[in-house]
Structures are given as structure tokens and as C-alpha cells.
């Protein structure tokens, strides 16, 4: 139906654990950002996130990474939109100032969720 993608550099200030690991909530926050754009494009309103149906943490996200976050609408109700999300590492930081573009991106987090928008006037 519609897919929205954002790319985001993960700053070292977000490293939360040893090895420069970033907490899983970081990707969930980015899912909210792409869901907002989905609602704006489809409905002209930011909408509200209602729920997650499934969240899976598949690989670590580290400070210095570049993430590509995607939201694809898979079902539309009158006011609800079911969305599939993915957060994929496309560049991996080295722990210093260098990083590498990955030949094979790493899917770090997936989820499905539901957003709702106001009724049409």
C-alpha cells in the first residue's frame, strides 16, 4: 500500500550498555517517527500509536550504526492502519570515527503495530 523509510545515525550518546550497545527502545522510537509520516501522507494527520502486536529483537544495534527504518501499511480500516516495521543496520560503526557500509544489511528489530487517525470530517 505505502512504505515510508527513514535513515538515522545512532549517536554514541545513545550507547546504553557495554560494547556501545543501544537499547531496543531506540528502534521503537524510530518506528513511531515513520508511523507518523505514514499517517500524514495517508490522512493528513499525525495519528496516534495504539498498540504493538509483535516486537522481535533480532540483532544488536550499536552506537555509530546507521539504521534504515521502514514502515509498510499492510491493512487499512476506517480509522486504523496496521503497519509492519523493520529497523535494519546498513552501516556499522567501528567504535571510533570510522564505519563501513554493510554488503548485507542486518535486520535488527521487526514489529507490527496499529495506528489510529481521527474520523474524516
Amino acid at each position: 500500500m505505502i512504505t515510508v523509510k527513514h535513515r538515522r545515525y545512532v549517536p554514541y550518546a545513545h550507547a546504553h550498555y557495554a560494547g556501545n550497545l543501544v537499547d531496543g527502545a531506540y528502534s521503537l522510537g524510530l518506528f513511531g517517527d515513520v508511523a507518523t509520516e505514514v499517517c500524514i501522507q495517508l490522512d493528513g494527520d499525525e495519528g496516534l500509536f495504539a498498540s504493538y502486536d509483535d516486537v522481535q529483537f533480532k540483532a544488536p544495534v550499536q552506537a555509530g550504526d546507521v539504521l534504515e527504518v521502514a514502515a509498510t501499511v499492510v491493512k487499512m480500516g476506517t480509522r486504523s492502519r496496521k503497519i509492519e516495521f523493520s529497523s535494519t543496520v546498513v552501516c556499522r560503526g567501528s567504535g571510533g570515527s570510522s564505519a563501513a557500509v554493510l554488503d548485507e544489511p542486518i535486520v535488527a528489530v521487526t514489529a507490527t503495530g496499529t495506528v489510529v487517525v481521527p474520523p474524516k470530517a
Side-chain angles (χ1 to χ4, degrees), residues 101-114:
V101 176
L102 300 178
D103 291 332
E104 289 292 324
I106 301 166
V107 176
V109 184
T110 61
T112 57
T114 302

Side-chain angles (χ1 to χ4, degrees), residues 62 71 74 107 116 118:
Q62 300 172 337
V74 294
V107 176
V116 294

Side-chain angles (χ1 to χ4, degrees), residues 40-54:
I40 290 168
Q41 286 196 30
L42 288 176
D43 301 289
D45 189 276
E46 292 180 354
L48 293 171
F49 216 114
S51 67
Y52 280 109
D53 301 314
D54 185 30

Side-chain angles (χ1 to χ4, degrees), residues 26-56:
Y26 187 83
S27 287
L28 297 182
L30 298 177
F31 290 167
D33 292 344
V34 291
T36 297
E37 185 179 343
V38 163
C39 292
I40 290 168
Q41 286 196 30
L42 288 176
D43 301 289
D45 189 276
E46 292 180 354
L48 293 171
F49 216 114
S51 67
Y52 280 109
D53 301 314
D54 185 30
V55 177
Q56 295 191 24

Side-chain angles (χ1 to χ4, degrees), residues 4-112:
V4 170
K5 293 182 180 182
H6 291 183
R7 284 201 173 184
R8 179 81 51 92
Y9 171 78
V10 182
Y12 281 86
H14 286 276
H16 209 66
Y17 303 102
N20 289 322
L21 291 177
V22 175
D23 62 38
Y26 187 83
S27 287
L28 297 182
L30 298 177
F31 290 167
D33 292 344
V34 291
T36 297
E37 185 179 343
V38 163
C39 292
I40 290 168
Q41 286 196 30
L42 288 176
D43 301 289
D45 189 276
E46 292 180 354
L48 293 171
F49 216 114
S51 67
Y52 280 109
D53 301 314
D54 185 30
V55 177
Q56 295 191 24
F57 300 99
K58 298 175 176 277
V61 173
Q62 300 172 337
D65 288 349
V66 174
L67 298 178
E68 181 175 271
V69 180
T72 300
V73 176
V74 294
K75 183 178 178 185
M76 287 185 57
T78 304
R79 295 183 47 217
S80 66
R81 284 82 180 96
K82 185 168 185 147
I83 302 173
E84 290 181 349
F85 298 96
S86 65
S87 178
T88 304
V89 179
V90 295
C91 301
R92 173 113 303 161
S94 68
S97 63
S98 63
V101 176
L102 300 178
D103 291 332
E104 289 292 324
I106 301 166
V107 176
V109 184
T110 61
T112 57

